[in-house]
Amino acid sequence: MNAEEIKTGLETTILGRAIHCLDSVDSTNRYARNMAEGGAPDGTVILAEEQTRGRGRLDRSWHSPPGLGLWLSIILRPEIAPAAAPGLSLVTGLALAKTIEEQLNIAAKLKWPNDCLLGGKKTAGILIDLAASAELVRYVVVGVGINVLHNPDDFPPELQKMATSLSQAAARPVDRALFLTGFLAGLEREYFRFIKEGLAPFIKPYTRRCSLIGCHVEALVGRRLVTGKAVGIDPSGALVIADGENEIVLTAGEVTRVRQ
Ligand code: BTN
């Protein structure tokens, strides 16, 4: 993929207007943070064919082999309070799920806070890095990793049972550039709406796609293991877990589905 090919199909005003395509980089999020510190404009996209030290949430690594995925980071400079920034992660997940449904015609689920699942297996993840002063966001780097062209044995053995790719789920090859331009256009629409209206319009559609709602789950809150039923997403984007009379509101962390 190269910048010209991507720009040709791009129907956005800011996202991807500046785009940097790299053959190999340690992590596009780290690269994007450096660019943001250097003044890169709102909407700049960094895309890599391969990451040698791709990062996931909770300090995990993200498997990013050459040519098989979309490994990208988007620099955003929204005028919002730092506390609102995690909402961008839900907004991005929703834009991704909608792009999958529109382009591939398969149902995509979102595992709170931001994993995208096809047929119960993880296809994409989102990692938000935030730079802010006490009151205002300086910039947000939205990192998105999408498995696109992997066959099952392209994943390391420990991931094979739980990971999939767009082409595997759709049972046909997927054009990475085409998917990317569609995703950036969809994300820009949702992003502009988020800036104008906040997270409120996203709660219902997100809840509808959330794989955890109605299921018995367990989650680590600090060192405490919480169990209960995932009953909803609150207006701030937090997951609400009911345990008998008590409701626990989870703003971050890892949640596992125990049973339906
Ligand atoms: C997760 O599910 O844990 C989040 C994974 C995020 C991976 C993407 S790939 C592009 C960007 N650069 C990184 O180092 N990580 C994100």
Side-chain angles (χ1 to χ4, degrees), residues 90 112 199 203 232-241 248-252:
L90 272 64
W112 186 92
L199 202 53
I203 300 296
I233 304 290
D234 85 356
S236 72
L239 181 72
V240 184
I241 298 174
I248 301 139
V249 176
L250 216 66
T251 52

Side-chain angles (χ1 to χ4, degrees), residues 38-113:
D42 196 14
T44 300
V45 170
I46 320 295
L47 181 71
E49 284 292 334
E50 170 194 44
Q51 294 184 119
T52 53
R53 293 191 63 182
R55 274 197 306 121
R57 286 176 62 241
L58 309 169
D59 261 342
R60 295 182 183 139
S61 62
W62 181 261
H63 182 244
S64 324
L68 296 183
L70 284 166
W71 323 128
L72 68 139
S73 298
I74 307 162
I75 299 170
L76 296 175
R77 299 183 181 279
E79 289 178 10
I80 56 172
L88 272 171
S89 168
L90 272 64
V91 170
T92 306
L94 204 48
L96 187 54
K98 286 186 182 174
T99 308
I100 293 173
E101 288 168 2
E102 280 162 22
Q103 290 207 13
L104 309 180
N105 206 18
I106 39 181
K109 287 277 181 190
L110 295 163
K111 177 175 170 279
W112 186 92

Side-chain angles (χ1 to χ4, degrees), residues 27-29 51 54-57 62 72 115 122 125-126 144-145:
S27 154
T28 56
N29 264 40
Q51 294 184 119
R55 274 197 306 121
R57 286 176 62 241
W62 181 261
L72 68 139
D115 290 354
K122 181 157 171 171
I126 295 159
V144 187

Side-chain angles (χ1 to χ4, degrees), residues 90 93-95 97-98 101-102 106-113 115-117 190 193 199-215 230-234 237-239 257 260:
L90 272 64
L94 204 48
K98 286 186 182 174
E101 288 168 2
E102 280 162 22
I106 39 181
K109 287 277 181 190
L110 295 163
K111 177 175 170 279
W112 186 92
D115 290 354
C116 187
L117 309 180
E190 309 286 11
R193 184 157 196 212
L199 202 53
F202 298 93
I203 300 296
K204 247 196 194 160
Y206 185 92
T207 307
R208 211 174 334 115
R209 287 183 175 81
C210 180
S211 64
L212 299 174
I213 303 299
C215 298
V231 289
I233 304 290
D234 85 356
L239 181 72
R257 193 163 87 167
Q260 199 75 38

